[in-house]
Structures are given as C-alpha cells and as structure tokens.
Amino acid sequence: MATTYKRILLKLSGEALMGDKSFGIDQDRLKQYAEEIKSVAQSGVEVAIVIGGGNIFRGIQAEEGGMDRVQGDYMGMLATMINSMALQSALENLDIKTRLLSAIKMEQIAEPFIRRKAVRHLEKGRVVIFGAGTGNPYFTTDSAASLRAIEIEADVILKGTRVDGIYTADPEKDPSAQKFTNISFEEVYAKGLNVMDMTAFTLCNENNLPIVVFDMNTSGNLAKVVSGETVGTLVEN
C-alpha cells in the first residue's frame, strides 16, 4: 500500500471504545480498532496513538458534581491509561510490537514519556501509545495529541470519530448540515466549528500540523486516509 504519510498520530476518543455499551470497553470495537491499526503499521507507516478516557471518567463532569477539578483531571488521566493498556493488549494479541509511554510515572506498567525514546520506538516500527494526557490538569487529550504529534514531528493528526468529517452543523441533529472536504484553520475559527478544543487546535495551526477528521468506525477508513484517499475532512493552512 502506497502511503501519503510516513508518521501519524491517531487520536481516538474514549467514548468510541464503548461501542454500543453505555460505559467501559466493548471488546469487539477494541479488536476492530487494533486490526485497523495493524494494517497501517504493517504498511510501514509509523503509528503513535493518544486515546481519551471519557468511557470511564471525565474530569469536567467530576467538577460539575462538586469534586476538585485538579483531582478529577488526574483521575481522567488514569482512565486514559486503562484504555491505553487495553489497546496495547489488543495490538499485541495481533503480534504488533507496542510501547506504552505515560506522562505520569507508572514504572510497573509503562515507560515514562521521553521524546527521544518515543521517536526511537517509532523508527524501530513499534506502535507507540501515549497515556495520561500531558500529565497536567486543565489540558484535554486533544491537547495531548497535538503536543505529542508536534514533539515527535508527525506528518498529520488523524482524529478518528464516529462522524465522517467536519460539517456546517451537527449532522446528527441537523440533516441539512453540509460536509467539508477541505477547510483551512482560519475558516474553522471564523465559522466557529468544533474540531478540537481551542488549545489543541491552536497548537496545530501555529505549528502547521494538518488534521484529518474521519469516521474510525468504518472498516478500512484508516488505511484509506493514510494512503491519501479523500476520506473525512482535511484541515490545513
């Protein structure tokens, strides 16, 4: 398979791992994601992954319930580690070599995040999973994905969602919403579209890092995006 990108950062939401469940991890969805990632990794693309924790715990919701926001955010980081470990296990069941790097020290289960080590793992063909967000409260896993992508000099962020791109409005609520194939960072700002949180999006804009938003739940889409097919929406300067 000919590929457009040499090194990608795949951002997955924790909620996507729920599948049809209301909580936790759907094993069938996890296996599907692992198989999609395997097909891309075996084509020679260097794959890094950041996954959210919203299927288990969300710091913002905890704050709404009266919990300290910082405490809630750290709990959310631990939720991302649970998902990261689950994804690592699913990939290794398919004989894909992986490394899990954590922004918070957890020596028994993950390596600490060291940029040069992460890059070396990628160069050796290992799938690298970044857990625990940025290691700081008040930053989302979108921000972690943008930061890590810039640090490892990824060619693109691939944001896998359940929607097949960016629309003029929420397509699940507005059937007349129009999909964009290509859009600039400036247009996203001007139209007030929700792609990532503003910190993450601004990081990508300022570092000239393109974003592709696509439907990860459709089998084969990840490989299509990596091979340069028009799938989802491309955001670039």
Side-chain angles (χ1 to χ4, degrees), residues 2-207:
T3 59
T4 300
Y5 306 112
K6 181 178 183 294
R7 180 178 294 166
I8 65 169
L9 189 137
L10 175 63
K11 169 60 171 64
L12 299 172
S13 75
E15 285 91 338
L17 283 187
M18 291 191 297
D20 296 326
K21 296 184 173 185
S22 58
F23 177 83
I25 298 170
D26 182 297
Q27 292 300 323
D28 292 334
R29 177 58 53 79
L30 187 66
K31 188 168 182 246
Q32 180 212 334
Y33 281 3
E35 286 169 347
E36 301 277 323
I37 294 161
K38 176 181 179 177
S39 71
V40 169
Q42 287 188 326
S43 72
V45 176
E46 296 173 4
V47 182
I49 302 168
V50 169
I51 186 162
N55 56 321
I56 298 168
F57 191 87
R58 295 180 71 89
I60 291 174
Q61 289 173 346
E63 185 184 28
E64 289 169 359
M67 184 181 288
D68 175 67
R69 170 68 189 271
V70 173
Q71 190 82 335
D73 280 357
Y74 278 118
M75 291 168 73
M77 290 176 219
L78 297 180
T80 72
M81 288 299 293
I82 292 171
N83 285 339
S84 296
M85 291 172 72
L87 184 59
Q88 180 181 37
S89 180
L91 285 165
E92 290 181 343
N93 284 341
L94 298 175
D95 297 320
I96 295 296
K97 288 184 168 56
T98 70
R99 289 294 185 274
L100 173 55
L101 276 61
S102 172
I104 299 171
K105 283 188 181 178
M106 303 186 196
E107 288 92 340
Q108 284 82 359
I109 58 173
E111 296 177 16
F113 170 73
I114 299 169
R115 175 184 169 270
R116 289 176 186 274
K117 239 182 166 177
V119 170
R120 188 75 183 119
H121 288 320
L122 290 166
E123 290 171 346
K124 286 187 172 182
R126 298 163 182 153
V127 171
V128 175
I129 305 169
F130 296 118
T134 66
N136 302 289
Y138 297 100
F139 289 90
T140 65
T141 48
D142 275 353
S143 292
S146 300
L147 180 62
R148 296 291 182 247
I150 293 160
E151 287 179 299
I152 64 170
E153 298 180 350
D155 299 320
V156 66
I157 288 184
L158 305 182
K159 181 162 180 171
T161 68
R162 64 184 184 187
V163 181
D164 64 341
I166 301 169
Y167 285 76
T168 52
D170 185 344
E172 294 179 350
K173 296 176 182 172
D174 183 355
S176 66
Q178 300 292 307
K179 180 182 166 187
F180 297 99
T181 304
N182 287 74
I183 190 168
S184 71
F185 282 94
E186 295 307 319
E187 283 181 282
V188 171
Y189 285 126
K191 296 178 189 295
L193 301 173
N194 185 24
V195 179
M196 288 176 147
D197 72 75
M198 198 54 72
T199 304
F201 193 74
T202 302
L203 263 177
C204 293
N205 184 17
E206 290 179 348
N207 290 276

Side-chain angles (χ1 to χ4, degrees), residues 220-234:
N221 265 2
L222 180 60
K224 287 178 182 175
V225 173
V226 169
S227 64
E229 289 187 40
T230 304
V231 176
T233 303
L234 172 65

